[in-house]
């Protein structure tokens, strides 16, 4: 145990040393980062209150349905954290140079496993915890919960909930690598992906939000809107951690903390059991799976001797500089299996999103506030997917030049030319995905709404890509080879918050014209549809300014010393 604390102590000292460089640029970055974090925390705090008030007061769904909707969001959140932790853990546990160093020392593999597990969990969860604290604070203030209730929800419910997702992700990773040696990596990954698809499909099939809301609304106004209607929840759903968490929050708002304590104990017990299971499997399997992973990578490299379309020796119609830049970035993407897996996961989420919005035009009829909220929520989620893909694949682009950056500095390549070529492929893919999502979620509406949505989405996508590229240059890290860790860094967190603030700016401008349109349609009044195009003008102006600033930042970052 003393060895474990010794290593953790020096990891903390290294972190403090790396972040203690004092100069004007560093101080300015830290000050700006603090302002962004503080502003986002306040914004999340305010937004959570307004959102709850909208659902409870304006839409009048009651506390039961509110917390069941929260339960469904928490389920998706659990799956996202679980998948994300599985992918990130592969990089930290099997691809990290620090692990290679520690294995060369007299350190037991079980302790290396614990160190990297905790390092991975806390490294990638700082922004997540900030968001949770802010949203939970807004929830607590809205329902007038005391500080003890707030602390109880966070420490004994949310933390175990996240820890369960992380531990399960590591367990799954160990099982994948152990099985990959026998059945093949691709087969195992596709099998696990199929399990996730079936799980999500069955969850929403059993616990359909539309069916649940319809069943509850049929009883109004003959029952208390705040009554807990547990009989409408499928029995299997009651065994899931997301339901324990939302139900505990419900009983705390009703000042029945004794019922919440039982659910919290279940949450803590399952998280402890999953953590112990992860540690035990790590003790037994980590070294063996680490060696198997090396063998699998070696076998994979042996099969790559043949020429492919993206080989540097193959003929191409592209100019030499363009060909070299594009093919190099493709090889950087393919060489990391976690890159490909992460991209597949994001595509899977997009498919789930598309299949979930098929009836958006017909939801909320009779309540224009609800229709506006649902439409803008779908629009916002579209941009969130684009922002997530950009953060994951655009933000690390400059840092992935690595310690060979001097070759770029000494080569006769214009910085602006390099920037344009580096974002050409992944930028085009993002634009294609975003435009397709925008069309699919708006083609059921009138043409003007479809046009406004498409224009706004394209403008927003270009701006989001530019923000991620510029911030990736501002927070460049040429010593980090792992793109996942780069996209989980402090600079990446700040970038994501900036993108969210930008997206909220768009939503604020679209709210009034969209709500007026749905109101006019509900009461049968004529509405000038071209008013929906007006917000595109200020959005385009602000977006052009942001795009110019961040693209210039990206180009200038290539001139810096490292």
């Amino acid at each position: 145990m003393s060895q474990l604390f010794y290593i953790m102590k020096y990891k903390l000292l290294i972190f403090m040393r790396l972040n203690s460089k004092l100069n004007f640029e560093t101080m300015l970055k830290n000050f700006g980062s603090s302002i962004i974090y503080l502003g986002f925390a306040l914004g999340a705090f305010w937004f959570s209150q307004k959102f709850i008030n909208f659902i409870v007061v304006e839409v009048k769904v009651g506390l039961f349905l509110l917390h069941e909707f929260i339960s469904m969001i928490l389920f998706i959140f659990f799956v996202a954290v679980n998948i994300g932790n599985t992918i990130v853990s592969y990089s930290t546990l099997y691809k990290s140079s620090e692990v290679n160093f520690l294995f060369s020392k007299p350190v037991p593999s079980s302790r290396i496993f614990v160190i990297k597990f905790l390092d991975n969990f806390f490294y990638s969860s700082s922004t997540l915890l900030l968001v949770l604290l802010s949203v939970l604070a807004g929830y607590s203030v809205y329902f007038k919960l005391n500080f003890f209730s707030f602390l109880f929800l966070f420490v004994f419910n949310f933390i175990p909930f996240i820890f369960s997702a992380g531990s399960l992700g590591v367990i799954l990773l160990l099982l994948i690598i152990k099985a990959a040696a026998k059945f093949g990596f691709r087969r195992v990954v596709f099998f696990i992906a199929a399990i996730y698809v079936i799980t999500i499909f069955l969850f929403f099939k059993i616990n359909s939000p539309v069916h649940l809301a319809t069943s509850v609304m049929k009883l109004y106004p003959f029952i208390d809107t705040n009554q807990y209607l547990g009989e409408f929840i499928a029995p299997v759903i009651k065994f899931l951690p997301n339901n324990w968490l939302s139900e505990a929050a419900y009983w705390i708002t009703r000042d029945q903390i004794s019922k919440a304590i039982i659910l919290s104990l279940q949450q803590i017990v399952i998280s402890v059991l999953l953590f112990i299971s992860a540690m035990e499997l790590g003790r037994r399997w980590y070294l063996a799976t680490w060696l198997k992973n090396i063998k699998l990578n070696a076998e994979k490299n042996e099969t790559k001797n043949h020429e492919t379309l993206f080989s540097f020796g193959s003929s191409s119609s592209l100019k030499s500089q363009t060909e070299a830049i594009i093919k190099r970035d493709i090889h950087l993407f393919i060489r990391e299996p976690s890159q490909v897996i992460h991209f597949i996961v994001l595509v899977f989420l997009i498919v789930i999103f598309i299949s979930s919005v098929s009836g958006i035009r017909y939801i909320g009829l009779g309540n224009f506030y609800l229709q506006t909220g649902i439409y803008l929520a779908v629009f916002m989620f579209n941009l969130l997917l684009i922002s997530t893909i950009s953060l994951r694949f655009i933000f690390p682009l400059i840092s992935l030049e690595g310690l060979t950056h001097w070759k770029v500095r000494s080569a006769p390549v214009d910085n602006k030319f390099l920037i344009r070529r580096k974002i050409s492929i992944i930028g085009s893919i993002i634009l294609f995905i975003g435009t397709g999502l925008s069309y699919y979620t708006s083609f059921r509406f009138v043409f003007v709404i479809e046009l406004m949505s498409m224009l706004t989405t394209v403008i927003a996508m270009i701006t989001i890509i530019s923000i991620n590229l510029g911030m990736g240059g501002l927070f460049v890290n040429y010593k980090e080879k792992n793109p996942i860790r780069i996209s989980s860094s402090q600079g990446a967190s700040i970038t994501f918050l900036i993108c969210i603030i930008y997206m909220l700016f768009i939503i604020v401008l679209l709210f009034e014209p969209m709500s007026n349109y749905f109101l006019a349609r509900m009461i049968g009044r004529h509405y000038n549809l071209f008013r929906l195009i007006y917000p595109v003008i200020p959005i385009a102006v602000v977006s052009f300014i942001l795009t110019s600033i961040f693209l210039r930042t990206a180009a200038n970052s290539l001139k810096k010393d490292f």
Side-chain angles (χ1 to χ4, degrees), residues 414-527:
D414 181 65
N415 289 339
K416 293 181 180 178
F417 172 83
L418 178 63
I419 291 297
R420 288 196 298 269
R421 291 298 177 267
K422 286 187 75 67
I423 64 174
S424 58
I425 293 183
I426 187 63
S428 300
I429 293 173
I430 292 173
L431 286 171
F432 174 77
I433 291 173
T435 305
L437 285 174
S438 177
Y439 172 77
Y440 190 83
T441 56
S442 60
F443 79 94
R444 292 175 176 81
F445 293 92
V446 294
F447 173 74
V448 176
I449 290 183
E450 182 182 345
L451 177 63
M452 179 273 296
S453 178
M454 298 276 284
L455 284 174
T456 307
T457 302
V458 170
I459 293 170
M461 283 191 295
I462 294 172
T463 307
I464 289 170
I465 291 172
S466 303
I467 291 173
N468 279 273
L469 189 66
M471 292 295 289
L474 188 64
F475 289 91
V476 66
N477 182 6
Y478 293 118
K479 295 181 180 180
E480 179 60 67
K481 297 179 181 179
N482 189 333
I484 292 179
R485 288 185 68 86
I486 294 172
S487 57
S488 301
S489 62
Q490 182 191 35
S493 300
I494 295 170
T495 304
F496 191 65
L497 299 183
I498 292 174
C499 289
I500 289 179
I501 293 171
Y502 169 71
M503 287 184 277
L504 289 176
F505 161 75
I506 294 176
I507 295 299
V508 168
L509 289 182
L510 294 180
F511 181 80
E512 183 178 356
M514 288 303 301
S515 61
N516 288 337
Y517 164 73
F518 285 118
L519 174 62
R521 193 178 69 167
M522 185 181 72
I523 63 177
R525 189 181 66 190
H526 174 72
Y527 182 76

Side-chain angles (χ1 to χ4, degrees), residues 24-35:
F24 177 75
E25 183 179 359
T26 303
M27 292 174 63
L28 188 62
K29 280 184 182 179
N30 290 335
F31 177 75
S33 302
S34 301
I35 294 297

Side-chain angles (χ1 to χ4, degrees), residues 269-303:
V269 168
I270 195 67
S271 67
V272 170
L273 289 176
L274 286 171
F275 178 71
I276 293 174
S277 300
M279 294 304 103
E280 180 62 21
L281 291 178
R283 184 184 67 81
R284 295 185 179 185
W285 293 353
Y286 180 45
L287 178 58
T289 53
W290 185 76
L291 293 172
K292 284 181 180 179
N293 182 67
I294 294 176
K295 183 181 179 181
L296 288 171
N297 287 332
E299 291 173 352
K300 182 180 178 182
N301 291 332
E302 289 177 1
T303 62

Side-chain angles (χ1 to χ4, degrees), residues 368-383:
F368 74 97
Y369 274 124
L370 181 58
Q371 286 183 301
T372 305
I374 292 174
Y375 179 85
L376 293 180
V378 172
F379 185 87
M380 179 78 168
F381 193 76
N382 185 359
L383 295 184

Side-chain angles (χ1 to χ4, degrees), residues 64-65 208-220 223 229 232:
F64 172 74
L65 275 181
S208 169
V210 176
H211 177 72
L212 181 64
T214 304
S215 300
V216 173
M217 291 297 183
K218 286 180 179 178
L219 302 178
Y220 291 152
I223 60 171
L229 305 171
F232 287 105

Side-chain angles (χ1 to χ4, degrees), residues 43-282:
F45 172 79
W46 175 84
F47 178 78
S48 63
Q49 293 186 73
K50 296 298 181 183
F51 177 78
I52 294 171
N53 182 74
F54 173 76
I55 294 295
V56 175
V57 177
E58 298 291 342
V59 184
K60 297 181 175 63
V61 299
L63 289 182
F64 172 74
L65 275 181
L66 170 68
H67 286 85
E68 285 308 303
F69 293 154
I70 292 175
S71 174
M72 296 173 192
I73 294 172
L74 288 172
F75 175 80
I76 296 298
F77 177 74
F78 185 93
V79 172
V81 172
N82 176 246
I83 295 174
N85 200 268
T86 302
I87 296 171
V88 176
S89 294
Y90 176 76
S91 297
T92 55
L93 288 170
Y94 294 95
K95 304 288 286 184
S96 170
S97 57
E98 183 183 352
V99 168
N100 299 337
F101 171 78
L102 290 174
F103 268 123
S104 67
K105 305 301 177 184
V107 182
S109 60
S110 58
R111 292 179 183 173
I112 299 175
F113 180 82
V114 174
I115 291 165
K116 297 308 295 180
F117 172 80
L118 296 175
D119 181 28
N120 174 58
F121 182 81
F122 290 108
Y123 181 86
S124 59
S125 299
S126 56
T127 306
L128 180 64
L129 292 176
L130 171 69
V131 174
L132 284 176
L133 279 170
S134 302
V135 172
L136 186 58
Y139 176 92
S140 302
V141 170
Y142 181 85
F143 288 110
K144 298 180 174 59
L145 304 182
N146 55 40
F147 181 73
F148 171 77
S149 299
F150 166 80
L151 202 62
F152 180 81
L153 268 175
F154 183 73
V155 175
F156 298 109
N157 287 274
F158 273 101
I159 296 297
F161 181 75
I162 298 173
F163 215 68
S164 296
S167 300
L168 188 59
V170 172
I171 293 172
L172 187 62
L173 175 64
L174 291 169
L175 291 171
I176 288 173
I177 296 181
K178 193 167 181 64
K182 186 174 182 180
F183 301 104
F185 185 75
R186 289 185 179 178
R187 290 181 181 178
V188 174
V189 169
F190 283 128
F191 177 74
I192 297 297
I195 292 177
Y196 275 113
V197 171
I198 293 171
T199 301
I200 294 175
F201 173 79
L202 289 177
F203 176 83
F204 284 103
K205 186 72 174 177
I206 297 171
N207 196 38
S208 169
V210 176
H211 177 72
L212 181 64
T214 304
S215 300
V216 173
M217 291 297 183
K218 286 180 179 178
L219 302 178
Y220 291 152
F222 302 107
I223 60 171
D224 179 12
T225 57
N226 294 332
Q227 181 180 349
Y228 189 76
L229 305 171
E231 62 271 19
F232 287 105
I233 304 175
V236 67
I237 301 298
K238 296 181 181 181
F239 291 98
L240 299 179
N242 58 290
N243 187 73
W244 299 340
L245 179 50
S246 64
E247 191 175 340
Y250 171 86
W251 291 121
I252 289 175
T253 59
R254 299 299 303 271
D255 201 23
Q256 298 185 40
I257 197 166
S258 59
K259 294 182 179 181
I261 290 175
I262 298 173
L263 295 163
S264 302
L265 287 174
Q266 295 176 194
Q267 196 80 253
I268 294 170
V269 168
I270 195 67
S271 67
V272 170
L273 289 176
L274 286 171
F275 178 71
I276 293 174
S277 300
M279 294 304 103
E280 180 62 21
L281 291 178

